[in-house]
Amino acid sequence: MKIEEILSGTPVAGLPGGHFIDGAYTASTRAQMESYDPGRAAPFATFARGTAADIDQAVASAIHAFEKTWRKTPPAERGRILYHAAQLIRDDAERLAIVECLDSGKPLNEALGDVNGAARAFEYYAGACDKLQGDTFPLPQGYLGYSVYEPVGVSAQIIPWNYPISTAARGIAPALAAGCTVVAKPAEQTPFTALQLADILTKAGLPAGVCNVVSGTGAEAGAPLVAHPDVDQITFTGSVATGQAVMRSAADNVTRLVLELGGKSPVVVLNDCDMERALTGVLGAIFENAGQICSAGSRLVIERGIHDAFVGELCARAKKLTIGHGLRDPQLGPVNSAGHLDKIAGFIDRARSRGAEILTGGRTTADPETGEGWFYEPTIVADRPSDDELVREEIFGPVLTVQIADDPEHALALAGDCQYGLVAGIYTGNVSNALKMARDVDAGQIFINEYFAGGVEVPFGGNKLSGFGREKGLEGLRSYCKVKSVAARID
Ligand code: NAI
Ligand code: MG
């Protein structure tokens, strides 16, 4: 598929119009919804609008596959299938990245990174399938105590629109590795790559019914999935409000869950940092994926001594970022929807009326080639007090708020003063200050001298309003396992 052809309006061939249930795409349903290309602010394809009946069918398929096939498949064989899937994802990376780019808006090279990251998740968990071993317990003579890890059963995966394929992969890969089967519900803004992933898994040898995907809205398909009495576990990534609704619904069936919610993560930059490294890091932390990242570094906490030089250069670099349709591979793509653009603009408009100084950006804009699309300028707002809305609330867009600190101690206090607890980053040459931050700030991840350092090997998740439970790493397997202890008197 030629990128120029797509940009000039040629429809993308081969996108699924149905769900993926029991090992195959279902026929296109009559109820279809449009998915938008944010770079053009126009619909580019339709997909199936799932209902509770589709969810019932997918859950039934997942239960059947769990009982009859997957839980009995030898762990080493599960590993071979996941590893094969990783290879097929890599083989198909360009097609998947183009679809991801169109559906979400993100720049093509970021989409390609996400696809390769998805492959990496399957590779990583492929190797873990046959290493899920339990314990033995030191009971007195005449007794034997041991534990085994059993798969929890059917896992429901609710996927957001900001990282569609990578969030799907980071949940589905460990679930399958642990021996669970899956029903995933991608976001209605970005349904396609999760569906394609299920198809690829099947081509890699995954038995029918082990991974099902139902597309549609949160209310019509997501809610019946998380409320389904036969679902044993839920992994939800999205907003705090929806996470709370999912948690309430899970309570009715006592369904276990992992909640990966929002963030308002600080990046602390101290006087003794490596300036170049910190500039690159802070820029990427807020403008990658146009700031639509739960773990975006959206608060710059900067020590007074370097404030002027650092923020001046940061603004100069932000101004120079290229903007455009994701397929032209700009440095900053559009945001995902018209509603989301309005939400971002609302934050800045309100801040202006409170007297905030916008150092750069602060307006909606468009693809300079076409005048189309849902774009927001890379925006940096001068020092705001800790109780300001811009400092407290997740904006989920290309908006960085500055907070000035008098010294390292003050910086760590500002960093930790937050209702969220997902990530905190620090740039400093002083190992003691870096490790104090790692010790004192209540967050699931601490990044030292490289924001977003690490990969699938490193556990990821939040504290406070950012949720609970961990994905990635071997820790990520625990959500999909239940420990059974056996204690026996043997003589
Ligand atoms: P959302 O939390 O409503 O949507 C996330 C997913 O949940 C989607 O797949 C959606 O269809 C599904 N969903 C919605 N209602 C549901 C329900 N009652 N039961 C089950 N599933 C349901 O988030 P939305 O509206 O897309 O974005 C709102 C804000 O949430 C963003 O502005 C951002 O601040 C935050 N967000 C955070 C994400 C993260 O990575 N932690 C990802 C996406 C959004
Ligand atoms: Mg879309």
Side-chain angles (χ1 to χ4, degrees), residues 34-38 44 102-105 188-192 336:
E34 284 176 324
S35 190
Y36 280 74
D37 167 3
F44 79 102
L102 277 173
D103 217 1
S104 69
E188 53 271 42
Q189 296 85 350
T190 54
F192 292 114
N336 183 255

Side-chain angles (χ1 to χ4, degrees), residues 205-440:
L206 197 74
V210 177
C211 181
N212 307 277
V213 178
V214 175
S215 53
T217 68
E220 293 166 358
L225 175 59
V226 298
H228 203 292
D230 296 326
V231 163
D232 301 289
Q233 188 274 348
I234 300 162
T235 295
F236 171 83
T237 305
S239 63
V240 176
T242 304
Q244 289 167 327
V246 168
M247 194 170 171
R248 277 186 208 105
S249 157
D252 288 340
N253 299 309
V254 196
T255 309
R256 56 187 80 212
L257 79 164
V258 172
L259 292 180
E260 208 272 87
L261 309 177
K264 189 73 189 179
S265 300
V267 196
V268 172
V269 176
L270 300 182
N271 289 344
D272 62 5
C273 72
D274 174 331
M275 278 280 257
E276 187 50 40
R277 210 179 249 196
L279 282 163
T280 312
V282 171
L283 213 63
I286 188 61
F287 298 129
E288 190 181 312
N289 202 24
Q292 304 163 113
I293 315 183
C294 49
S295 52
S298 51
R299 290 192 290 136
L300 170 63
V301 178
I302 183 142
E303 209 176 349
R304 199 176 292 282
I306 52 164
H307 170 272
D308 294 356
F310 190 90
V311 172
E313 177 61 18
L314 195 67
C315 289
R317 292 190 190 191
K319 273 198 188 82
K320 279 195 222 134
L321 293 175
T322 56
I323 292 183
H325 191 285
L327 285 181
R328 290 196 194 92
D329 214 12
Q331 288 165 313
L332 191 88
V335 302
N336 183 255
S337 65
H340 192 54
L341 183 61
D342 286 347
K343 183 179 151 182
I344 296 166
F347 272 105
I348 294 299
D349 294 346
R350 288 192 296 281
R352 254 198 207 101
S353 66
R354 290 193 301 278
E357 185 190 352
I358 316 293
L359 297 171
T360 185
R363 285 181 310 239
T364 56
T365 181
D367 181 343
E369 297 261 340
T370 61
E372 297 170 338
W374 295 312
F375 291 84
Y376 202 81
E377 291 176 346
T379 300
I380 301 178
V381 185
D383 191 31
R384 298 302 297 158
S386 291
D387 60 356
D388 192 81
E389 182 190 51
L390 286 191
V391 174
R392 304 215 74 78
E393 301 297 328
E394 179 175 61
I395 300 172
F396 221 63
V399 177
L400 179 71
T401 309
V402 178
Q403 294 172 271
I404 302 180
D406 297 324
D407 53 39
E409 221 171 296
H410 185 208
L412 298 197
L414 289 174
D417 179 12
C418 185
Q419 57 183 337
Y420 292 102
L422 193 53
V423 164
I426 188 165
Y427 286 85
T428 176
N430 180 320
V431 76
S432 168
N433 282 332
L435 294 179
K436 271 188 202 152
M437 161 123 155
R439 182 190 65 191
D440 295 340

Side-chain angles (χ1 to χ4, degrees), residues 57-109:
Q57 211 190 327
V59 173
S61 163
I63 295 171
H64 184 81
F66 179 67
E67 295 298 346
K68 294 284 177 302
T69 321
W70 196 238
R71 71 181 310 174
K72 297 180 188 156
T73 303
E77 174 61 12
R78 293 207 293 259
R80 280 190 286 271
I81 293 169
L82 297 197
Y83 195 77
H84 189 195
Q87 291 170 311
L88 295 185
I89 294 168
R90 284 193 205 285
D91 293 347
D92 220 0
E94 199 188 341
R95 178 183 71 120
L96 289 165
I98 289 173
V99 173
E100 191 82 326
C101 171
L102 277 173
D103 217 1
S104 69
K106 66 177 63 199
L108 190 57
N109 77 81

